[in-house]
Amino acid sequence: MEEQKKVIALGFFDGIHLGHQALLRRTAERGRELGMVPAVFTFDRSPREAVTGEHVPLLTTIKDRQRIVRTLFPEIREVIVAPFDKEMMTMPWDVFLEKLRSRLNAGWLVAGHNFRFGHKNAGNAELLREKAAELGMGCDIIPAVKLDGVTVSSTYIRSLLAEGRAREAGRFLGHDLLRRDS
């Protein structure tokens, strides 16, 4: 029996903020529409930190991200965590997409407007859309999500927290699932 195709959300998803939530909502919708398994593809560590060596203070651990995705989007059935290792860091962007199709049975991809991937961030949203079509996959690119005229991003949320503006950061997150009592 052939494995069911997947709709795969692509990103690091630190914090699962309002922008990520729009992307995950679209992933779940596409899964329902197309009869595909909704899934998330993320990395075990920050690609930016791995590439630059600069410490990136994260909003969430991988376990936090998995828990938040399951809580907010129970219809998403898989959270695929890949190691961001030397092989991944040096993989050409087109090879990355071919592997998503062949190894993970991707039938549709969902990414944000500013998604960058592949060796030296050579892949972008437009190349993702073009190559996905060439490989027989669909693709949705989610536009920027703005709140009060500001594009929602993990980097912006981190800056708010660093300034002691936790309540405002919480508005951009759109949930209060970062702290667990258990």
Side-chain angles (χ1 to χ4, degrees):
M1 185 162 92
E2 188 176 327
E3 181 188 4
Q4 193 174 4
K5 289 203 176 294
K6 294 180 180 90
V7 176
I8 300 178
L10 301 171
F12 188 56
F13 300 105
D14 187 29
I16 317 290
H17 57 58
L18 292 172
H20 296 141
Q21 290 171 44
L23 198 149
L24 296 172
R25 204 169 9 268
R26 175 70 57 86
T27 301
E29 290 166 359
R30 282 287 183 213
R32 276 192 305 277
E33 287 172 13
L34 302 170
M36 294 182 186
V37 175
V40 173
F41 181 93
T42 189
F43 295 112
D44 63 346
R45 62 187 181 138
S46 165
R48 187 170 54 154
E49 185 170 296
V51 171
T52 66
E54 297 172 19
H55 175 66
V56 176
L58 298 180
L59 300 168
T60 51
T61 65
I62 190 62
K63 287 189 188 300
D64 290 334
R65 283 183 266 148
Q66 291 170 315
R67 177 181 48 80
I68 294 168
V69 167
R70 280 193 301 271
T71 301
L72 295 178
F73 298 95
E75 62 274 30
I76 291 182
R77 300 210 310 250
E78 290 182 53
V79 177
I80 302 156
V81 181
F84 195 82
D85 54 15
K86 187 162 179 64
E87 178 187 0
M88 186 64 75
M89 194 182 317
T90 58
M91 187 179 296
W93 67 269
D94 54 337
V95 172
F96 174 71
L97 295 179
E98 290 165 6
K99 288 184 181 214
L100 287 174
R101 188 188 62 158
S102 64
R103 292 186 182 171
L104 298 179
N105 206 23
W108 200 281
L109 303 173
V110 183
H113 69 285
N114 61 350
F115 184 64
R116 302 297 301 224
F117 62 103
H119 185 57
K120 296 187 177 180
N121 274 338
N124 59 35
E126 189 55 39
L127 290 172
L128 173 66
R129 187 189 318 268
E130 290 171 11
K131 185 67 174 179
E134 182 183 309
L135 294 171
M137 296 184 289
C139 181
D140 288 322
I141 303 299
I142 305 302
V145 172
K146 296 186 180 230
L147 185 61
D148 301 333
V150 177
T151 298
V152 177
S153 73
S154 300
T155 301
Y156 184 68
I157 293 167
R158 283 187 214 104
S159 73
L160 291 173
L161 290 171
E163 295 169 7
R165 297 163 62 190
R167 179 167 290 167
E168 192 173 349
R171 289 181 52 240
F172 282 80
L173 279 170
H175 63 80
D176 61 356
L177 298 171
L178 294 185
R179 288 183 209 68
R180 287 182 43 192
D181 296 330
S182 54

